Amino acid sequence: MMAISGKTRVCGVIGDPIEHTLSPPIQNAAFSHLKLDFVFLAFHVKAADLENAIRGMRGLGIHGLNVTMPHKSTVISYLDKVDSAVKFLGSANTILNRDGKLSGFSTDGVGALKALRENGAELAEKKVLLLGAGGAAKAIAFSFAQEAGSLCILNRVPEKAAVLADALNRMFGKKIVGGALSPSAVQKNLRDADILVNATSVGMHPTVNQSLVAPQWLKPNLVVMDIVYNPVETKLAKDAKTAGAKVISGVEMLIYQGAASFEIWTGRSAPIGVMRKAALNKLSNTGENK
Ligand code: ATR
């Protein structure tokens, strides 16, 4: 880490719980690599203290914050300006403080899009099958919807998938479908899908032996993205690799989303390799239960 000076800019992440966050090692590695006089800290902020925390951001001149559970939605009411993704999603994960004016951004969707592109996969005209309709799925759907050839959203609670599909159709005027996440629906939709995204928590520690996709439904010409990064290689990722599919891990989405926040705060292009190394290093040091 760079030496702290009288001009050091403070960034951080707020959430509850927060102690297992990977953001401090990832962001500090990037600041340090580019010799930026910035530091990144984790702040444990309980729901009842959120308003005070944001006041503190203004009062102390904290330059940037990442926002995680449980504040992503509630934080919006304390911001001066939000981007179009935040408006659609109703949640923000990044705040930039410009002379006391707080702007909110959501970098989950652009992070997923960049993870896809930078790993050599294209989205234009591709058929996408998205599993899940929670916060992360919504962000991915919003950023993929415009460019993808088609988008099918399947969720355990089917109404959530239908509501999301309707909202996207209204926004983009496309035929996006939402339905129930049954094994037969996954199998059927995978037959002609080009890109599969798991945006559910299935496969995350401790359910490491679970996957919503049977191995025999996977195929070589498929791109498989998993938002789960703990374990780094999920059962779905292992099965996809065995089937000869291209795999983009949750670590890629995590670092590209962090990179997008970094670029908002610093205006510099993020050192992805350095950030990836810091994330993987932290994940391997903390074991698979963090
Ligand atoms: P996040 O912010 O990480 O997206 P979330 O908003 O709680 O978290 O969403 C979790 C997603 O994982 C949801 O799509 C959830 O499905 P439901 O909306 O039906 O609850 C999905 N999910 C979690 N456990 C699941 C399981 N065992 N099988 C299928 N889907 C599951």
Side-chain angles (χ1 to χ4, degrees):
M1 196 189 293
M2 300 281 292
I4 306 289
S5 77
K7 292 185 293 184
T8 302
R9 289 194 168 187
V10 179
C11 292
V13 56
I14 56 171
D16 178 26
I18 201 62
E19 63 264 38
H20 299 314
T21 176
L22 297 174
S23 298
I26 295 174
Q27 297 292 347
N28 285 315
F31 292 151
S32 179
H33 182 76
L34 293 181
K35 300 192 167 48
L36 300 175
D37 192 4
F38 278 65
V39 67
F40 191 99
L41 304 167
F43 299 104
H44 186 191
V45 174
K46 299 221 167 96
D49 292 321
L50 179 64
E51 186 172 4
N52 279 333
I54 301 301
R55 268 208 197 106
M57 182 185 195
R58 293 179 196 274
L60 296 171
I62 289 173
H63 181 68
L65 286 177
N66 272 146
V67 182
T68 185
M69 297 308 292
H71 309 310
K72 285 182 162 203
S73 302
T74 37
V75 77
I76 294 177
S77 58
Y78 306 121
L79 306 179
D80 301 305
K81 224 174 97 181
V82 295
D83 74 2
S84 61
V86 173
K87 277 185 195 140
F88 180 83
L89 303 171
S91 72
N93 76 338
T94 303
I95 307 174
L96 172 67
N97 182 356
R98 270 194 215 101
D99 303 321
K101 285 262 173 287
L102 305 187
S103 302
F105 306 83
S106 176
T107 66
D108 287 337
V110 289
L113 201 56
K114 232 168 162 210
L116 188 74
R117 290 219 175 98
E118 299 293 320
N119 281 284
E122 268 311 314
L123 184 59
E125 306 306 318
K126 293 288 177 358
K127 295 191 173 96
V128 180
L129 173 59
L130 175 65
L131 309 182
K138 245 174 142 175
I140 293 168
F142 179 75
S143 72
F144 280 26
Q146 208 163 354
E147 232 182 281
S150 72
L151 176 61
C152 172
I153 305 164
L154 302 179
N155 196 51
R156 182 173 59 179
V157 176
E159 293 76 19
K160 277 168 71 178
V163 167
L164 176 56
D166 282 351
L168 292 166
N169 282 325
R170 276 197 301 276
M171 175 147 265
F172 297 114
K174 281 208 168 181
K175 191 84 200 81
I176 293 161
V177 294
L181 204 170
S182 64
S184 62
V186 176
Q187 181 181 16
K188 178 175 161 282
N189 282 284
L190 264 180
R191 273 190 208 123
D192 61 352
D194 303 300
I195 299 171
L196 166 70
V197 184
N198 174 47
T200 74
S201 47
V202 176
M204 190 190 293
H205 190 89
T207 63
V208 294
N209 295 319
Q210 291 180 16
S211 166
L212 295 166
V213 184
Q216 65 272 21
W217 303 340
L218 297 161
K219 53 193 183 180
N221 55 347
L222 191 68
V223 175
V224 177
M225 299 181 78
D226 200 332
I227 66 159
V228 174
Y229 58 80
N230 184 10
V232 172
E233 192 173 53
T234 58
K235 176 168 189 324
L236 172 61
K238 277 188 201 137
D239 292 343
K241 234 185 216 172
T242 305
K246 182 179 187 67
V247 176
I248 299 171
S249 79
V251 175
E252 293 300 294
M253 296 210 228
L254 175 78
I255 58 172
Y256 278 102
Q257 164 234 291
S261 298
F262 177 94
E263 289 172 0
I264 287 169
W265 298 323
T266 65
R268 299 282 298 270
S269 152
I272 288 295
V274 167
M275 297 175 95
R276 181 184 292 113
K277 199 168 151 205
L280 290 172
N281 193 23
K282 177 77 179 165
L283 282 165
S284 66
N285 283 341
T286 50
E288 303 224 318
N289 59 342
K290 297 281 162 35

